[in-house]
Amino acid sequence: MNRTPMLAAGHAAVDFYQGAVPALVPFLVAGRGYGYVAVSGIVLAATLLSSVVQPVFGVLTDRWRMPWLIPVSTLVAGAGVALGGVTDSYVLTWLAVALSGLGVAAYHPESARLARIASEGSHVRMSWFSLGGTLGFASAPVLVTPLLAGWGLGASPFLAAPAVLGAVATLPAVRALAGGGRAARAAAPVSGRDDWPSFVRLTLVIVFRSVVYVGLSAFVALYMGGGVAGAVALFVLFAGGAVGTVLGGRLAARWGRMRTMRLAYALAVPAVAGVVLAPGAVAYVFVAASSIALYAPFSLHVTLGQDFLPTRVGTAGGVTLGLAVSVGGLASPLVGALAEATTLRAALACLIVFPALAWLLARTLKEPVPEPAA
């Protein structure tokens, strides 16, 4: 039985909370008077612990199987965002959102390992697992904005519901895939040597991609005017990612992973430029195009990382799957500070360079070739 849809549902629940944080930003600005730097710090809170701790969880899951982390971390991610809207103190809000980031960090390495087993090497199946996370992102502004617009920040405890549903939905797949050691190991054979130089370059590609995508997700709602216009911009950004994720898996099956990844980053450069330069409602088209281009290589990062580090699948999954949606937050306070010193448009214009850097570095990578059996 294909367990990928169940894992995708859990992935959607966890990454819902990555999307919920930028959806909270306009309400924190309106309700508490936070400036660009302050809300950048909130985005940083959701990503700092995730960026630093996620590789640690990857190393741990390479040594010990910890399937229980998947439902527990899902609940922790939900609890952090649920508490973030009801605290009166900026410090407590920061800590609550950081707790959510910790839950996200704990989730991804082990879930990537089980997704590798469930996908049986299929790029298309792995893209469906990644799609779950993307849909979680996309649904966040659709659920968060009406809830908080109608009931205020005090209604944020209701945002814990997706975490509970996701944890319950994932349990059957976790039990089936993690229960039998021999079957699981047979489904995910380890062969070849670790190629650390290629993995490091791939990681830098992901970092460049993450900076531009998290920068857009943190500020595009404010750039488009906030309110309904901002919520629409976030939805377009996240929904475009869903299209890009599925498209990337199918293109990789036809053209190969490297060609697909390079093409996607080449197209992302003019797309991000269009977000900043296009007038009025036309900018929404470029928001969608940027998201599609930036998400087309998303699931490919995961499988490439695991193939570059075949003996450290958990570490590879923790870095490629988790880092892709977290490390960009480390740069978001710089974007916010630049926006306050100049304009938000000028700050977002600086993001154009990052997909270009990702494209240049992707051209130095080669498709991993497994060693022949002895």
Side-chain angles (χ1 to χ4, degrees):
M1 178 180 177
N2 183 12
R3 307 285 181 176
T4 307
M6 296 180 189
L7 293 175
H11 197 190
V14 168
D15 280 2
F16 169 85
Y17 297 103
Q18 292 278 358
V21 173
L24 282 171
V25 164
F27 296 96
L28 294 174
V29 171
R32 299 181 183 175
Y34 293 164
Y36 289 136
V37 173
V39 295
S40 297
I42 297 296
V43 176
L44 176 65
T47 56
L48 179 61
L49 276 179
S50 185
S51 299
V52 174
V53 176
Q54 202 144 197
V56 176
F57 280 108
V59 172
L60 292 175
T61 57
D62 280 334
R63 293 188 177 185
W64 301 285
R65 299 296 180 245
M66 295 186 289
W68 54 268
L69 267 179
I70 292 178
V72 170
S73 61
T74 301
L75 295 174
V76 170
V81 168
L83 293 172
V86 296
T87 58
D88 294 328
S89 163
Y90 179 83
V91 173
L92 291 178
T93 300
W94 195 98
L95 291 174
V97 175
L99 178 67
S100 180
L102 182 62
V104 172
Y107 173 85
H108 282 103
E110 184 68 4
S111 68
R113 183 182 71 83
L114 293 186
R116 180 183 177 92
I117 296 171
S119 66
E120 298 177 338
S122 168
H123 297 317
V124 175
R125 281 192 182 185
M126 199 65 175
S127 72
W128 283 108
F129 169 70
S130 299
L131 175 64
T134 308
L135 290 177
F137 263 95
S139 65
V142 177
L143 297 177
V144 172
T145 300
L147 176 68
L148 300 188
W151 300 92
L153 288 169
S156 63
F158 290 104
L159 296 175
V164 176
L165 295 175
V168 171
T170 307
L171 279 176
V174 171
R175 289 171 179 168
L177 295 171
R182 290 185 179 179
R185 284 190 289 271
V190 172
S191 62
R193 296 180 179 178
D194 294 333
D195 183 357
W196 281 102
S198 294
F199 182 76
V200 170
R201 291 199 298 274
L202 176 66
T203 300
L204 289 174
V205 169
I206 296 171
V207 168
F208 294 145
R209 179 257 179 209
S210 180
V211 169
V212 62
Y213 188 80
V214 176
L216 286 175
S217 67
F219 294 106
V220 73
L222 292 173
Y223 181 70
M224 297 302 291
V228 174
V232 170
L234 275 179
F235 176 76
V236 169
L237 183 74
F238 296 158
V243 175
T245 301
V246 176
L247 182 63
R250 297 196 175 277
L251 290 178
R254 175 177 296 184
W255 292 347
R257 292 179 291 185
M258 290 301 175
R259 184 179 178 186
T260 300
M261 181 168 63
R262 291 165 185 163
L263 176 63
Y265 285 124
L267 294 176
V269 177
V272 175
V275 174
V276 180
L277 301 176
V282 179
Y284 287 108
V285 176
F286 287 98
V287 170
S290 298
S291 186
I292 292 170
L294 291 170
Y295 257 98
F298 186 67
S299 65
L300 311 183
H301 294 155
V302 181
T303 59
L304 281 169
Q306 291 174 333
D307 287 346
F308 284 138
L309 299 185
T311 70
R312 293 175 173 82
V313 173
T315 299
V319 173
T320 56
L321 186 59
L323 197 64
V325 292
S326 62
V327 75
L330 301 178
S332 62
L334 298 178
V335 178
L338 182 60
E340 290 194 345
T342 57
T343 64
L344 184 54
R345 184 177 188 181
L348 292 180
C350 294
L351 298 177
I352 300 171
V353 70
F354 290 99
L357 292 173
W359 174 76
L360 288 171
L361 199 54
R363 290 177 58 85
T364 70
L365 293 171
K366 296 181 179 180
E367 185 74 31
V369 178
E371 290 186 352

